[in-house]
Amino acid sequence: MTELSLRRHRPFIAFWLARVFTASGFQMLTVAIGWHLYQLTGSVLDLGLVGLFEFLPRLLFMLHAGHVADRFERRRIAAACQGLQALVALALLLGSSTDSISRELIFVLAFLLGLARTFEMPATQALLPNVVPLALFPRAVAASAAAMQAATIIAPALGGLLYAFGAQWVYGPGVLLYVLASSLMLGLHAEGQVLRKEPANLETLLAGIRFIRSKPDVLGSISLDLFAVLLGGATALLPVFAKDILLTGPWGLGLLRSAPAVGALLMSLWLARFPIERRTGPIMFTSVAVFGVATIGFGLSTSFWLSMAILVLLGAADMISMVIRGALVQLDTPDAMRGRVSAVNGLFIGASNQLGEFESGLTAHWFGTVPSVLIGGIGTLLITGGWIRLFPTLARRDRLHQPTQQQ
């Protein structure tokens, strides 16, 4: 890479590294919090409640977060949010060191973690088009996803191994990772953001929702993710599978959490080299259907290594859908609206992940762990078929980038 090329790509490299550190910190905290809480209470419902507390800030503040991302400098917003997550990790470090962590404290810190991520997500999603040219954006989405997945492979496994020495050995590195991410964001050079000066009111806060409703392909892609992953997500139950079904320990939990990221990383690297340019709609729906089938397979498996292999496939399928959806939403949205549209998209993603964890914990509490996962996988397949009928233009969409829609 020449000096000129390096200078040109330096902002994206800084952005890429910040995403690595943030993803690593979050994944390590997630493993430690899940195992810590399950050791503390032994309740699968509590594992689901952690996801609910992380999701509540998105439900309460996501529209405000989108307005903030369009009105203020996005890199500073992201840096501040990463600083808050560093404080959450610090509180967990101090609490574990003094043996003063309770179930209620974990819920409060999960809420604060969710609050920081609520404002961070639309800022970082809307920031990427200001860092790379739009012509390279699909590749940049895949490369950025690869960064997060690479971290997601290493961090959970490392978190599970470190937890054997004590929870503080996970929370401490988490603090450092978030501080590094915040520092990189503060030093990032981004261009082209259109800052909006109008005050927050109902009209401006709802502008992102109105825009999405006017774009069937955007609405269909993000709502597909919401309902499919809401039903199909089983990551909240991994501590139960690791301990009670697959008969392993925290190291096994770390490997299980890393397995989807292995598949996602391999697929994101492939998509960065060979981006999807044709038949984007059919490919996205097929990938979601594979996600549902893999979820059912994981629920039926009683072999640790088979479960690992299925989770790798699940992660690869999810990555295809995520890259298509992420690029489609940003490319079909003008810059002045990207923060608010990303906020609504973030609400859908949060619902499918954190609220999905609550749904998994609740159904596991009612029906049992394995039936909960099977019900979720079947539900994902039903949603996929239903969305093909509800959004036929998305199901038939050929090209990802449609220049006539660019603003």
Side-chain angles (χ1 to χ4, degrees):
M1 184 178 292
T2 65
E3 182 179 350
L4 180 61
S5 178
L6 179 61
R7 188 181 303 113
R8 181 184 177 188
H9 291 88
R10 188 172 295 160
F12 178 70
I13 293 172
F15 181 90
W16 188 87
L17 287 173
R19 294 299 296 270
V20 169
F21 295 144
T22 300
S24 298
F26 179 70
Q27 291 297 328
M28 291 178 68
L29 289 188
T30 299
V31 169
I33 288 172
W35 193 268
H36 201 155
L37 183 62
Y38 194 56
Q39 278 189 324
L40 202 62
T41 69
S43 170
V44 294
L45 182 59
D46 282 347
L47 293 175
L49 286 173
V50 170
L52 178 62
F53 276 104
E54 284 188 20
F55 172 71
L56 279 177
R58 297 192 185 217
L59 186 62
L60 296 173
F61 303 113
M62 184 54 77
L63 294 180
H64 295 84
H67 180 80
V68 168
D70 283 336
R71 190 175 182 186
F72 301 100
E73 200 171 350
R74 291 163 183 159
R75 65 183 182 88
R76 294 186 182 274
I77 298 169
C81 294
Q82 289 155 359
L84 177 56
Q85 290 171 86
L87 292 177
V88 170
L90 180 61
L92 288 166
L93 172 62
L94 296 176
S96 61
S97 299
T98 58
D99 199 25
S100 58
I101 289 185
S102 65
R103 171 178 179 267
E104 292 71 23
L105 177 60
I106 288 178
F107 290 156
V108 170
L109 294 176
F111 181 87
L112 292 176
L113 189 64
L115 180 64
R117 288 171 60 81
T118 294
F119 282 84
E120 180 189 17
M121 178 171 289
T124 54
Q125 285 186 346
L127 179 62
L128 184 54
N130 304 132
V131 174
V132 297
L134 286 181
L136 300 177
F137 188 72
R139 292 177 184 268
V141 171
S144 179
M148 291 196 300
Q149 297 305 325
T152 306
I153 292 172
I154 299 171
L158 180 61
L161 290 172
L162 290 176
Y163 196 94
F165 299 98
Q168 62 270 24
W169 287 92
V170 184
Y171 299 136
V175 175
L176 178 61
L177 288 168
Y178 279 121
V179 170
L180 290 173
S182 182
S183 300
L184 284 169
M185 278 293 178
L186 285 175
L188 183 65
H189 177 68
E191 298 178 347
Q193 180 181 355
V194 179
L195 297 177
R196 302 181 64 89
K197 299 301 182 183
E198 72 268 24
N201 53 44
L202 190 60
E203 181 179 356
T204 58
L205 290 176
L206 296 178
I209 295 178
R210 289 196 301 271
F211 179 85
I212 290 173
R213 289 182 61 187
S214 71
K215 301 288 185 180
D217 286 4
V218 175
L219 175 61
S221 63
I222 64 177
S223 59
L224 174 66
D225 177 79
L226 166 65
F227 292 106
V229 181
L230 171 65
L231 295 173
T235 56
L237 302 178
L238 287 182
V240 185
F241 274 91
K243 186 173 186 293
D244 300 334
I245 297 176
L246 303 176
L247 305 179
T248 184
W251 66 271
L253 172 61
L255 291 176
L256 288 171
R257 287 199 66 94
S258 297
V262 172
L265 174 62
L266 294 175
M267 183 56 66
S268 61
L269 291 174
W270 175 268
L271 293 176
R273 179 65 180 86
F274 303 102
I276 297 173
E277 297 178 349
R278 305 298 299 267
R279 295 182 52 79
T280 55
I283 290 173
M284 182 176 69
F285 278 101
T286 300
S287 68
V288 176
V290 172
F291 179 91
V293 172
T295 299
I296 295 172
F298 177 75
L300 294 173
S301 172
T302 57
S303 164
F304 176 78
W305 295 110
L306 177 59
S307 296
M308 287 275 291
I310 292 173
L311 289 175
V312 170
L313 174 63
L314 183 148
D318 189 43
M319 176 55 59
I320 296 173
S321 173
M322 188 184 79
V323 168
I324 293 176
R325 183 185 69 251
L328 186 151
V329 170
Q330 294 297 329
L331 290 175
D332 281 7
T333 305
D335 182 77
M337 290 288 299
R338 283 196 179 113
R340 282 165 290 179
V341 171
S342 295
V344 179
N345 187 29
L347 180 62
F348 279 62
I349 293 172
S352 64
N353 292 328
Q354 278 75 50
L355 194 56
E357 291 180 5
F358 174 67
E359 179 271 337
S360 296
L362 189 62
T363 54
H365 180 70
W366 286 343
F367 307 115
T369 301
V370 171
S372 169
V373 174
L374 297 180
I375 291 170
I378 294 170
T380 297
L381 295 177
L382 293 176
I383 287 294
T384 303
W387 254 237
I388 291 174
R389 290 181 173 272
L390 286 174
F391 299 95
T393 60
L394 177 62
R396 296 192 303 265
R397 180 158 175 158
D398 186 29
R399 293 188 179 276
L400 181 62
H401 180 45
Q402 298 185 3
T404 57
Q405 294 184 2
Q406 292 307 301
Q407 313 249 344

